[in-house]
């Protein structure tokens, strides 16, 4: 099938690869423009742009699709469909209508739950037991279109956003090829409005760990924000990110270190920290981190 691919971050790359491997004709790849990055703040192409150029595909990265010139260029491609996954720009109606079969979005949740920007983070932070990917026929609203195909998966008890992100990307790659192969036979299913929830963009203010919360909520926060932006606490005036944790047992004052292996008391129960990262340093397993940090039993995290 003659396709336009529209995506930007790492999540989208395996899906582009899967479409190419399935033999689809990718007539153009759209992604967001290169952004300043690194110490020199030089423009850096997105992961999708890098991958598309590696395999010799036409790449376009307009700053907006709201103007006549990029809209005309898009229509001139005469694509049968556009596959959109984590693209990051709003698609005007004229773009949605240009391909013969419209624009198909791969969304990393079980719609209508977790419409919006951060569905993977929010599913873990909310304690959802399952999630999945949906192939949706796009329309002007935010993730409101009818669903063509849906695949479910359970969320592991210790799974982080990074781990679930990679699993859902692989699932999306399989699902979109399945949907494209059956496109004319699939019946779009409208989303039930009574089940809608929104996955708001993660605010960095959410990332500070509140040890007075129950351990189950602290653990979800840590796993849901790993690796970015990373849940954190302060000690000796330095911020430390926590990138992994497991539920454990124990009681004490909120934030109190209960054991040398970094078992921390919460408002109810305890969590054991498994992976940490100091500012400007690499991530470390808890035993390696603790050999350097030597946080004493009885100390309360977040204090001086």
């Amino acid at each position: 099938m003659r396709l336009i691919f529209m995506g930007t971050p790492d999540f989208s790359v395996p899906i582009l690869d899967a479409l190419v491997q399935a033999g689809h004709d990718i007539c153009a790849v759209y992604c967001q423009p290169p952004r300043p990055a690194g110490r020199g703040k030089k423009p850096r192409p997105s992961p999708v742009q890098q991958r598309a150029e590696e395999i010799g595909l036409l790449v376009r990265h307009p700053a907006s699709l709201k103007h006549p010139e990029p809209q005309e260029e898009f229509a001139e491609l005469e694509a049968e469909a556009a596959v959109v996954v984590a693209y990051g720009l709003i698609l005007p109606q004229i773009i949605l209508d240009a391909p013969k079969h419209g624009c198909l979005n791969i969304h990393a949740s079980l719609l209508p739950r977790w419409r919006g920007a951060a569905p993977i983070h929010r599913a873990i932070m909310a304690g959802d037991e399952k999630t999945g990917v949906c192939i949706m026929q796009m329309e002007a609203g935010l993730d409101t279109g009818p669903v063509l195909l849906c695949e479910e998966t359970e969320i592991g008890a210790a799974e982080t956003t990074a781990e679930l992100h990679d699993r859902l990307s692989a699932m999306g790659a399989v699902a979109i090829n399945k949907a494209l192969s059956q496109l004319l036979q699939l019946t779009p299913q409208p989303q039930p409005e009574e089940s809608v929830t929104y996955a708001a963009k993660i605010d960095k203010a959410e990332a500070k760990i509140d040890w007075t919360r129950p351990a189950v909520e602290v653990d979800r926060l840590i796993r849901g924000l790993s690796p970015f932006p990373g849940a954190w606490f302060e000690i000796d005036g330095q911020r430390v990110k926590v990138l992994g944790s497991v539920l454990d047992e124990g009681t004490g004052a909120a934030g109190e270190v209960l054991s040398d292996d970094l078992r921390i008391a919460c408002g109810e129960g305890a969590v054991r920290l498994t992976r940490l990262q100091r500012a400007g340093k690499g991530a470390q397993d808890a035993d390696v981190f603790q050999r350097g940090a030597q946080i004493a039993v009885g100390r309360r995290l977040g204090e001086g």
Side-chain angles (χ1 to χ4, degrees):
M1 186 176 289
R2 184 172 172 83
L3 301 175
I4 296 169
F5 183 82
M6 310 180 79
T8 298
D10 288 323
F11 185 85
S12 310
V13 173
I15 297 165
L16 174 60
D17 284 339
L19 292 170
V20 172
Q21 291 164 10
H24 293 289
D25 174 17
I26 310 298
C27 57
V29 171
Y30 280 71
C31 53
Q32 291 197 42
R35 306 293 188 196
R39 292 184 178 179
K41 296 299 180 183
K42 295 181 179 180
R44 179 180 297 172
S46 69
V48 164
Q49 180 175 345
Q50 293 179 49
R51 180 58 181 150
E53 290 177 346
E54 284 174 5
I55 54 182
L57 298 175
L58 171 65
V59 176
R60 292 175 176 170
H61 42 69
S64 172
L65 291 169
K66 296 179 180 179
H67 306 296
E69 184 177 349
Q71 292 172 359
E72 290 168 5
E73 290 177 343
F74 190 91
E76 287 169 359
L77 292 167
E78 297 183 339
E80 295 176 82
V83 172
V84 185
V85 51
Y87 177 43
L89 291 182
I90 293 173
L91 303 189
Q93 193 65 48
I94 193 170
I95 294 290
L96 296 175
D97 293 340
K100 179 180 178 181
H101 298 295
C103 297
L104 307 181
N105 178 246
I106 304 170
H107 188 76
S109 79
L110 300 177
L111 291 169
R113 185 163 179 79
W114 301 130
R115 293 176 179 174
I120 302 175
H121 299 78
R122 296 295 177 189
I124 292 178
M125 291 167 68
D128 290 2
E129 295 182 354
K130 63 181 181 179
T131 186
V133 292
C134 287
I135 309 300
M136 178 189 65
Q137 187 81 51
M138 294 182 72
E139 56 184 33
L142 176 64
D143 299 327
T144 58
V147 173
L148 297 172
L149 185 148
C150 191
E151 301 286 351
E152 290 188 4
T153 186
E154 292 185 357
I155 299 175
E159 198 162 22
T160 65
T161 283
E163 294 163 338
L164 186 56
H165 167 284
D166 291 351
R167 285 208 300 119
L168 292 178
S169 177
M171 287 178 62
V174 174
I176 188 60
N177 273 321
K178 182 178 178 182
L180 290 170
S181 69
Q182 304 173 5
L183 193 55
L184 298 181
Q185 289 76 47
L186 294 173
T187 301
Q189 300 294 326
Q191 296 183 39
E193 285 301 318
E194 65 273 13
S195 303
V196 172
T197 60
Y198 288 95
K201 184 178 179 180
I202 299 297
D203 187 325
K204 289 186 178 180
E206 299 178 73
K208 184 177 181 180
I209 298 172
D210 179 358
W211 300 107
T212 68
R213 305 300 301 169
V216 66
E217 294 181 15
V218 172
D219 176 61
R220 291 171 184 167
L221 179 77
I222 291 169
R223 292 185 294 108
L225 298 184
S226 175
F228 182 82
W232 59 273
F233 63 88
E234 286 186 342
I235 192 164
D236 296 329
Q238 291 189 330
R239 184 174 294 192
V240 178
K241 286 185 179 182
V242 185
L243 302 178
S245 63
V246 293
L247 291 172
D248 212 320
E249 297 179 351
T251 57
E256 181 181 351
V257 180
L258 301 177
S259 61
D260 288 329
D261 62 352
L262 295 181
R263 187 163 44 94
I264 313 298
C266 300
E268 296 176 11
V271 295
R272 182 166 51 83
L273 311 185
T274 60
R275 195 160 177 81
L276 303 96
Q277 182 179 18
R278 286 188 181 275
K281 305 292 185 180
Q284 297 176 313
D285 289 339
D287 57 341
V288 177
F289 174 88
Q290 181 66 325
R291 281 201 293 270
Q294 297 185 343
I295 301 175
V297 173
R299 190 161 184 189
R300 292 182 67 180
L301 301 184
E303 295 184 341

